[in-house]
Amino acid sequence: MTAEVELPQAPEGARAVFGEFFPEAVRYAELLADAGVKRGLIGPREVPRLWERHLLNCAVLSEVVPEGVTVCDVGSGAGLPGIPLALVRPDLKITLLEPLLRRTNFLQEVVELLGLDHVTVVRGRAEEVLGTLQPVHVVTARAVAPLDRLAGWGVPLLRPYGEMLALKGDTAEEEISGARAALSKLGVVDTEVLHVGEGVVEPMSTVVRVVVGESPGGVRFAAKRAKAARASRTRRRR
């Protein structure tokens, strides 16, 4: 049995970050603290720090997402960072990609309750939707996997010259160093560590930015993507 943990009041800075969608952000926080805990999507110990560590930490990612682009949030889980990003950026078209049914059910409920018409929930793994999901400008992720493995899932979903933005911790630079060979094979042409959320979250959120060239995922994934696209067209014609 899970003990009830009270959700703290939203910090003053949250109003400025979420703007007109602040009431929706509060509702999302309430859903995470209630249904999110009961369904095992977040731990009860996270409830007291939901605002600073989760909602605001993810919302400030918007500082480095270009305007009007398509986004795929890989391994979205309880909707982090995808839903906070959607709340502050209605100009984006966001896909929440998550393989587990109980999580996609929760995500769909949240999207409908908050009226997020620019957000779509897709159940599946990144490698399964390759070729069926339209390539996106930006892939986002948080606490999914080490960078080399995460890039193997996320980079192939990108359009040429797209970018992956991964929320990471203090080991961001080390992860980049250890993943250089894998990233190169995936067609990555540039990486950098960014810090966002100055004056909003302390410490600031750390983002690893991975930029691809004209062949996201490299040669092997280009062939796989083409094969999947042909199979999809064949199914539509039947």
Side-chain angles (χ1 to χ4, degrees), residues 53-209:
R53 181 166 176 163
H54 298 288
L55 274 77
L56 289 171
N57 179 271
C58 291
V60 295
L61 182 63
S62 65
E63 293 177 19
V64 289
V65 178
E67 285 187 27
V69 298
T70 52
V71 177
C72 182
D73 189 32
V74 172
S76 196
L80 301 164
I83 288 176
L85 184 61
L87 287 170
V88 296
R89 294 290 300 276
D91 60 299
L92 304 175
K93 188 174 176 61
I94 299 176
T95 298
L96 306 179
L97 182 62
E98 168 57 46
L100 295 184
L101 181 60
R102 65 186 171 89
R103 292 177 180 169
T104 52
N105 284 342
F106 175 78
L107 292 173
Q108 193 60 53
E109 290 166 21
V110 170
V111 166
E112 290 172 8
L113 280 167
L114 302 185
L116 300 175
D117 297 336
H118 58 305
V119 178
T120 303
V121 178
V122 174
R123 184 185 174 199
R125 299 183 186 280
E127 57 269 34
E128 294 169 348
V129 301
L130 192 65
T132 57
L133 193 71
Q134 282 292 320
V136 296
H137 297 92
V138 176
V139 162
T140 58
R142 179 180 187 249
V144 173
L147 186 61
D148 54 350
R149 209 164 358 129
L150 175 62
W153 298 332
V155 166
L157 299 176
L158 290 168
R159 293 167 50 134
Y161 310 106
E163 58 191 72
M164 184 175 76
L165 300 170
L167 281 159
K168 289 287 183 179
D170 298 336
T171 60
E173 294 280 6
E174 293 171 36
E175 285 200 46
I176 289 176
S177 296
R180 287 203 190 279
L183 294 175
S184 179
K185 287 179 183 177
L186 289 167
V188 172
V189 296
D190 191 28
T191 57
E192 63 179 323
V193 175
L194 308 170
H195 297 283
V196 295
E198 186 175 5
V200 178
V201 288
E202 181 61 44
M204 290 192 291
S205 299
T206 300
V207 181
V208 171
R209 181 172 179 254

Side-chain angles (χ1 to χ4, degrees), residues 41-61:
L41 302 181
I42 66 161
R45 291 181 182 177
E46 296 303 311
V47 173
R49 50 189 184 181
L50 262 180
W51 282 102
E52 287 84 357
R53 181 166 176 163
H54 298 288
L55 274 77
L56 289 171
N57 179 271
C58 291
V60 295
L61 182 63

